[in-house]
PDB file of all heavy atoms in Angstrom:
ATOM      1  N   THR A  15      90.480 134.342 118.492  1.00  0.00           N
ATOM      2  CA  THR A  15      90.228 134.242 119.938  1.00  0.00           C
ATOM      3  C   THR A  15      89.736 132.849 120.322  1.00  0.00           C
ATOM      4  O   THR A  15      90.026 132.380 121.425  1.00  0.00           O
ATOM      5  CB  THR A  15      89.121 135.245 120.354  1.00  0.00           C
ATOM      6  OG1 THR A  15      89.297 136.466 119.662  1.00  0.00           O
ATOM      7  CG2 THR A  15      89.116 135.468 121.843  1.00  0.00           C
ATOM      8  N   GLU A  16      88.997 132.225 119.430  1.00  0.00           N
ATOM      9  CA  GLU A  16      88.201 131.035 119.741  1.00  0.00           C
ATOM     10  C   GLU A  16      87.373 131.357 120.984  1.00  0.00           C
ATOM     11  O   GLU A  16      86.609 132.313 120.977  1.00  0.00           O
ATOM     12  CB  GLU A  16      89.072 129.797 119.906  1.00  0.00           C
ATOM     13  CG  GLU A  16      88.254 128.508 119.729  1.00  0.00           C
ATOM     14  CD  GLU A  16      89.107 127.288 119.549  1.00  0.00           C
ATOM     15  OE1 GLU A  16      90.025 127.051 120.355  1.00  0.00           O
ATOM     16  OE2 GLU A  16      88.839 126.548 118.571  1.00  0.00           O
ATOM     17  N   CYS A  17      87.504 130.602 122.068  1.00  0.00           N
ATOM     18  CA  CYS A  17      86.694 130.915 123.253  1.00  0.00           C
ATOM     19  C   CYS A  17      87.488 131.662 124.317  1.00  0.00           C
ATOM     20  O   CYS A  17      87.005 131.856 125.444  1.00  0.00           O
ATOM     21  CB  CYS A  17      86.087 129.646 123.823  1.00  0.00           C
ATOM     22  SG  CYS A  17      84.902 128.903 122.674  1.00  0.00           S
ATOM     23  N   GLY A  18      88.715 132.046 123.999  1.00  0.00           N
ATOM     24  CA  GLY A  18      89.443 132.938 124.896  1.00  0.00           C
ATOM     25  C   GLY A  18      90.443 132.282 125.827  1.00  0.00           C
ATOM     26  O   GLY A  18      90.920 132.931 126.761  1.00  0.00           O
ATOM     27  N   VAL A  19      90.798 131.011 125.567  1.00  0.00           N
ATOM     28  CA  VAL A  19      91.745 130.341 126.472  1.00  0.00           C
ATOM     29  C   VAL A  19      93.129 130.985 126.393  1.00  0.00           C
ATOM     30  O   VAL A  19      93.712 131.383 127.415  1.00  0.00           O
ATOM     31  CB  VAL A  19      91.821 128.832 126.170  1.00  0.00           C
ATOM     32  CG1 VAL A  19      92.896 128.168 127.021  1.00  0.00           C
ATOM     33  CG2 VAL A  19      90.468 128.177 126.399  1.00  0.00           C
ATOM     34  N   GLY A  20      93.651 131.110 125.165  1.00  0.00           N
ATOM     35  CA  GLY A  20      94.957 131.744 125.019  1.00  0.00           C
ATOM     36  C   GLY A  20      94.929 133.191 125.499  1.00  0.00           C
ATOM     37  O   GLY A  20      95.887 133.680 126.112  1.00  0.00           O
ATOM     38  N   LEU A  21      93.820 133.857 125.243  1.00  0.00           N
ATOM     39  CA  LEU A  21      93.675 135.256 125.665  1.00  0.00           C
ATOM     40  C   LEU A  21      93.715 135.376 127.189  1.00  0.00           C
ATOM     41  O   LEU A  21      94.277 136.333 127.738  1.00  0.00           O
ATOM     42  CB  LEU A  21      92.359 135.808 125.107  1.00  0.00           C
ATOM     43  CG  LEU A  21      92.049 137.271 125.368  1.00  0.00           C
ATOM     44  CD1 LEU A  21      93.145 138.197 124.835  1.00  0.00           C
ATOM     45  CD2 LEU A  21      90.696 137.647 124.743  1.00  0.00           C
ATOM     46  N   ALA A  22      93.149 134.381 127.873  1.00  0.00           N
ATOM     47  CA  ALA A  22      93.184 134.403 129.341  1.00  0.00           C
ATOM     48  C   ALA A  22      94.621 134.298 129.853  1.00  0.00           C
ATOM     49  O   ALA A  22      95.010 134.988 130.804  1.00  0.00           O
ATOM     50  CB  ALA A  22      92.333 133.261 129.897  1.00  0.00           C
ATOM     51  N   TRP A  23      95.425 133.448 129.184  1.00  0.00           N
ATOM     52  CA  TRP A  23      96.836 133.361 129.581  1.00  0.00           C
ATOM     53  C   TRP A  23      97.536 134.680 129.333  1.00  0.00           C
ATOM     54  O   TRP A  23      98.351 135.142 130.158  1.00  0.00           O
ATOM     55  CB  TRP A  23      97.532 132.240 128.811  1.00  0.00           C
ATOM     56  CG  TRP A  23      97.217 130.870 129.325  1.00  0.00           C
ATOM     57  CD1 TRP A  23      96.390 129.940 128.756  1.00  0.00           C
ATOM     58  CD2 TRP A  23      97.719 130.278 130.530  1.00  0.00           C
ATOM     59  NE1 TRP A  23      96.357 128.815 129.537  1.00  0.00           N
ATOM     60  CE2 TRP A  23      97.157 128.978 130.616  1.00  0.00           C
ATOM     61  CE3 TRP A  23      98.585 130.711 131.530  1.00  0.00           C
ATOM     62  CZ2 TRP A  23      97.440 128.118 131.674  1.00  0.00           C
ATOM     63  CZ3 TRP A  23      98.876 129.858 132.585  1.00  0.00           C
ATOM     64  CH2 TRP A  23      98.304 128.575 132.651  1.00  0.00           C
ATOM     65  N   LEU A  24      97.252 135.304 128.182  1.00  0.00           N
ATOM     66  CA  LEU A  24      97.886 136.583 127.874  1.00  0.00           C
ATOM     67  C   LEU A  24      97.486 137.638 128.899  1.00  0.00           C
ATOM     68  O   LEU A  24      98.324 138.407 129.387  1.00  0.00           O
ATOM     69  CB  LEU A  24      97.489 137.047 126.464  1.00  0.00           C
ATOM     70  CG  LEU A  24      98.044 136.221 125.293  1.00  0.00           C
ATOM     71  CD1 LEU A  24      97.378 136.636 123.982  1.00  0.00           C
ATOM     72  CD2 LEU A  24      99.558 136.380 125.204  1.00  0.00           C
ATOM     73  N   ALA A  25      96.202 137.677 129.217  1.00  0.00           N
ATOM     74  CA  ALA A  25      95.708 138.681 130.175  1.00  0.00           C
ATOM     75  C   ALA A  25      96.307 138.443 131.559  1.00  0.00           C
ATOM     76  O   ALA A  25      96.630 139.390 132.288  1.00  0.00           O
ATOM     77  CB  ALA A  25      94.182 138.631 130.241  1.00  0.00           C
ATOM     78  N   ASP A  26      96.471 137.167 131.911  1.00  0.00           N
ATOM     79  CA  ASP A  26      97.048 136.838 133.211  1.00  0.00           C
ATOM     80  C   ASP A  26      98.514 137.269 133.289  1.00  0.00           C
ATOM     81  O   ASP A  26      98.987 137.734 134.326  1.00  0.00           O
ATOM     82  CB  ASP A  26      96.922 135.329 133.440  1.00  0.00           C
ATOM     83  CG  ASP A  26      97.296 134.940 134.856  1.00  0.00           C
ATOM     84  OD1 ASP A  26      96.691 135.498 135.786  1.00  0.00           O
ATOM     85  OD2 ASP A  26      98.196 134.092 135.023  1.00  0.00           O
ATOM     86  N   GLY A  27      99.213 137.146 132.156  1.00  0.00           N
ATOM     87  CA  GLY A  27     100.641 137.475 132.150  1.00  0.00           C
ATOM     88  C   GLY A  27     100.924 138.949 131.985  1.00  0.00           C
ATOM     89  O   GLY A  27     102.015 139.416 132.337  1.00  0.00           O
ATOM     90  N   ALA A  28      99.973 139.689 131.448  1.00  0.00           N
ATOM     91  CA  ALA A  28     100.207 141.108 131.166  1.00  0.00           C
ATOM     92  C   ALA A  28     100.218 141.929 132.448  1.00  0.00           C
ATOM     93  O   ALA A  28      99.474 141.654 133.392  1.00  0.00           O
ATOM     94  CB  ALA A  28      99.125 141.628 130.224  1.00  0.00           C
TER      95      ALA A  28
END
Side-chain angles (χ1 to χ4, degrees):
T15 320
E16 200 166 51
C17 295
V19 175
L21 183 57
W23 283 105
L24 291 170
D26 189 56

